[in-house]
């Protein structure tokens, strides 16, 4: 296991431990990685380039019609609307983003991700394929359209109640995966992913 992943796992084990985050920031500084500013709690401008037009990407594959990413937010991209204040800043106070306890998505692991947009949030489930300078690519990836059991996200991610997963309605596989920016709330998804169609 690389030192980077070891440090990331340490952050996820105790998300509110600032010392672990600062140790990780020091590690990133050694390789001039711009993520270091984020972990120090400094202004970190993701902008449109950082998110790669997330609103447009997700809107194109069908989530826009379901959750509004392709509409109001999609035209500017999430980066255009909230990147300047930092995803862990102003928007974080709404509760979906957690600036006090950011989690790390680790390539090779499965996750449940809450992706905020202008009307609420979309919930994605998938495999963390790649780490980017400003976030991650989750691929394969699908949207959880309806749990049919209310807000049972913690239980759903834990995977202990198989009926919860069977009851869920999932969207089609997102071609090319989804870009997930820093600061987005996520949970480890235990066990197998929903059928990806691949």
């Amino acid at each position: 296991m690389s030192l980077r992943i070891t440090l990331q796992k340490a952050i996820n084990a105790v998300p509110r431990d600032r010392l672990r985050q600062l140790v990780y920031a020091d590690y990133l500084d050694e390789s001039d990685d711009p993520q270091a500013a984020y972990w120090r709690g400094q202004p970190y401008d993701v902008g449109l380039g950082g998110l790669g037009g997330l609103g447009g990407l997700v809107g194109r594959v069908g989530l826009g019609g379901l959750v509004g990413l392709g509409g109001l937010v999609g035209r500017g991209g999430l980066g255009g609307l909230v990147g300047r204040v930092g995803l862990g800043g102003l928007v974080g106070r709404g509760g979906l983003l957690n600036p006090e306890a950011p989690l790390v998505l680790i390539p090779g692991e499965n996750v449940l991700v809450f992706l905020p947009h202008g009307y609420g949030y979309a919930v994605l489930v998938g495999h963390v394929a790649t780490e980017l300078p400003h976030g991650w690519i989750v691929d394969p990836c699908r949207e959880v359209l309806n749990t049919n059991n209310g807000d049972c996200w913690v239980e759903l991610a834990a995977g202990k109640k198989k009926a919860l997963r069977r009851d869920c309605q999932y969207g089609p596989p997102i071609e090319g995966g989804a870009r997930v920016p820093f600061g987005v709330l996520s949970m480890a998804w235990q066990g197998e992913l929903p059928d990806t169609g691949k």
Side-chain angles (χ1 to χ4, degrees), residues 83-170:
R84 299 290 167 193
V85 299
L87 285 171
L90 184 62
V91 176
R93 291 183 179 87
L96 284 175
L97 305 182
N98 191 349
E100 295 179 2
L103 297 181
V104 183
L105 298 173
I106 300 175
E109 296 186 354
N110 297 332
V111 291
L112 184 72
V113 176
F114 297 85
L115 197 62
H117 56 77
Y119 303 100
Y121 59 92
V123 182
L124 306 178
V125 59
H127 183 76
V128 183
T130 309
E131 183 176 0
L132 301 172
H134 303 279
W136 301 269
I137 295 288
V138 176
D139 184 32
C141 182
R142 297 178 74 174
E143 183 184 13
V144 182
L145 300 177
N146 194 335
T147 67
N148 292 308
N149 283 284
D151 289 331
C152 58
W153 303 113
V154 173
E155 295 87 350
L156 186 64
K160 294 179 180 177
K161 299 179 180 178
K162 298 185 186 295
L164 287 179
R165 291 188 178 178
R166 281 197 305 268
D167 289 348
C168 283
Q169 178 186 359
Y170 302 98

